[in-house]
Amino acid sequence: MATKPVVANAWRRWGIVGASGALTGVGQGFVAFAISSLVKPIAGDLAVGRGTVSMAIGLGRLTTGLLAPLAGYLSDRFGPRLPVILGMFLLALGLAFMAFIETAVGLVMVWSVLVSAGVALGFMIALDKLVVQSTVHRRGLALAVRFSVVGLVTALLIPLVASLLDRFGWRATCLIWSVLIVSLIPFALIGFRGGRVPGDSQHRAAQPTTGKSDTRTGWRTIAASRAFWLLGLGFMAQASINSGLTVHLMPLVTDQGYPERMAAALLSGLILLSIPVRLLTGTLSDLLTSRTLVIGFGGMLIVESFSLIWFGTWPSLTGLIAMLAMLAVSVGAGTLIVMVLVSRLFGEHRFGSVQGSLMLLQVPGTTLAPILAGYAFDLTGNYQLALWGFAGGLMFIGLLILTWRLGGASPSG
């Protein structure tokens, strides 16, 4: 009889993990990945260049980064449900307004403010915090499962969005997605109520603590630590280049002469490939030391840079597949490694705030990368210059990470 509450709590924990992933896939997946399918039709309808559309997307990354600390603070202070509901409302409102914009200024205002603010508050850090506070043991695996569900849902929605675009156009597609987000708000209200799942407090109490806990997680100590800036630098590089690539991935593929359906299939395949990468990374992250994870992170950035150089210099289907495969590894493993390190180094009760601060550090890169890629195309007629620039940035930061030690900040090595 005593095992029934434990089993029920375990089912609830993993249900929260899965639901958080599905919600992020529907919300952030549409904004971060499906937007690649909207770049050409929006540019054509509004009679603007891809650089202008990319500017709206890039400024949206700026909004997301600037609001990340607020999302983290609200999650730590009031629990994840408040920012999640607020974010869902703002995203639905922004997508509804997208159906009626007529100018580039309207695009920038709606996408960069309402849509991006909704994603920042409701679909990223708040749901990460929800998973972290709901699990203690096997936290790396829990985060991996969350992001695997994100990948699966996103992979499924990309061909769905492409079909909606073909049948109804981009304006109606945004309106349909707005209605979908609104319909999910009651589920978030009911399913995400409360805080830590019962039973986790016992697990937490069993964890070893030291008198240095408060000092280690104090903001002055965090901001002064090499670990914080190391994670921020690597996180910025990984997110920025991946952002620049995914926004322009559909146009990049179709510009090579491949049909749009093939481009959509490749993008979906990229996301699906990231799922086993996430699960493997999550399983290993629970076993490996922090230093080993850092080495893997730096090495991943360097290998990804070589794949960009390959395709940028010798464009071919083989080079494209190699680049997409490394992008899948980066998307699947990079963010997960950073989150595991944050929870180890700075503690669960500071997770939202620290993760939000790290996302703020991404702002320059995630804002500029899509814009620079778009204007590089407008200037040269191809993405070769952008790919070479992205490769150089990844190579430099990857090498820096490999030579920069954490200095024993992690209790687990």
Side-chain angles (χ1 to χ4, degrees):
M1 296 295 292
T3 62
K4 288 185 178 180
V6 176
V7 173
N9 291 334
W11 275 107
R12 182 184 170 191
R13 278 193 289 271
W14 289 105
I16 288 174
V17 170
S20 72
L23 187 57
T24 297
V26 171
Q28 187 193 14
F30 181 88
V31 173
F33 288 92
I35 184 60
S36 184
S37 301
L38 275 66
V39 170
K40 278 187 174 181
I42 290 177
D45 192 12
L46 300 183
V48 297
R50 295 183 194 178
T52 301
V53 179
S54 300
M55 178 179 294
I57 298 170
L59 291 176
R61 302 287 196 268
L62 173 64
T63 300
T64 300
L66 291 176
L67 288 180
L70 175 61
Y73 169 78
L74 291 175
S75 299
D76 288 341
R77 180 68 177 81
F78 302 105
R81 186 170 67 159
L82 173 64
V84 167
I85 300 302
L86 178 59
M88 294 178 73
F89 172 78
L90 290 176
L91 177 59
L93 185 64
L95 290 176
F97 282 161
M98 281 289 292
F100 302 100
I101 61 172
E102 297 292 343
T103 65
V105 174
L107 171 65
V108 171
M109 293 299 297
V110 173
W111 191 272
S112 303
V113 179
L114 285 177
V115 171
S116 300
V119 170
L121 292 175
F123 295 86
M124 301 173 68
I125 294 174
L127 292 174
D128 297 335
K129 170 73 175 185
L130 182 68
V131 171
V132 167
Q133 77 172 18
S134 299
T135 57
V136 173
H137 300 300
R138 307 185 75 183
R139 182 174 287 163
L141 180 59
L143 288 168
V145 170
R146 160 169 157 70
F147 286 109
S148 296
V149 175
V150 173
L152 180 60
V153 172
T154 303
L156 293 175
L157 72 82
I158 287 175
L160 173 60
V161 170
S163 177
L164 290 174
L165 285 170
D166 288 340
R167 186 168 183 179
F168 302 109
W170 69 271
R171 296 179 185 275
T173 298
C174 289
L175 193 58
I176 291 170
W177 221 258
S178 172
V179 173
L180 175 61
I181 297 297
V182 169
S183 70
L184 294 176
I185 291 178
F187 294 95
L189 279 169
I190 297 171
F192 296 159
R193 67 177 183 269
R196 177 181 293 276
V197 176
D200 277 349
S201 59
Q202 297 176 356
H203 295 309
R204 186 183 184 187
Q207 291 178 311
T209 59
T210 68
K212 298 181 180 180
S213 177
D214 291 339
T215 301
R216 190 187 69 208
T217 55
W219 266 112
R220 182 174 299 178
T221 304
I222 290 173
S225 69
R226 289 185 300 169
F228 176 80
W229 295 104
L230 168 66
L231 291 176
L233 187 64
F235 201 24
M236 181 187 71
Q238 179 257 350
S240 301
I241 276 68
N242 291 349
S243 172
L245 288 174
T246 53
V247 166
H248 292 275
L249 193 56
M250 290 285 287
L252 186 151
V253 174
T254 55
D255 287 346
Q256 300 297 317
Y258 302 114
E260 288 192 8
R261 291 190 178 275
M262 178 180 176
L266 286 173
L267 184 55
S268 296
L270 179 157
I271 299 169
L272 288 173
L273 179 59
S274 72
I275 294 176
V277 172
R278 287 183 173 109
L279 293 174
L280 179 61
T281 303
T283 302
L284 292 177
S285 67
D286 290 328
L287 304 174
L288 300 176
T289 65
S290 298
R291 177 57 186 163
T292 304
L293 291 177
V294 169
I295 293 173
F297 190 31
M300 177 194 71
L301 297 181
I302 292 173
V303 176
E304 185 179 6
S305 72
F306 281 118
S307 72
L308 298 184
I309 293 172
W310 180 4
F311 182 70
T313 307
W314 303 284
S316 65
L317 181 59
T318 303
L320 176 62
I321 292 175
M323 183 184 72
L324 293 180
M326 277 311 305
L327 183 58
V329 171
S330 181
V331 169
T335 301
L336 184 59
I337 290 175
V338 171
M339 288 184 177
V340 170
L341 289 171
V342 168
S343 66
R344 286 186 186 182
L345 298 176
F346 307 114
E348 172 197 322
H349 65 290
R350 287 283 192 182
F351 177 88
S353 299
V354 174
Q355 186 69 11
S357 299
L358 292 177
M359 292 191 66
L360 179 61
L361 295 178
Q362 294 180 359
V363 167
T366 54
T367 300
L368 290 175
I371 296 174
L372 292 176
Y375 280 111
F377 176 86
D378 290 341
L379 180 64
T380 65
N382 58 63
Y383 290 102
Q384 187 178 63
L385 184 61
L387 292 173
W388 286 347
F390 289 162
L394 286 173
M395 178 74 71
F396 174 75
I397 294 178
L399 290 172
L400 183 61
I401 288 174
L402 290 180
T403 59
W404 195 357
R405 300 186 63 82
L406 281 171
S410 170
S412 58

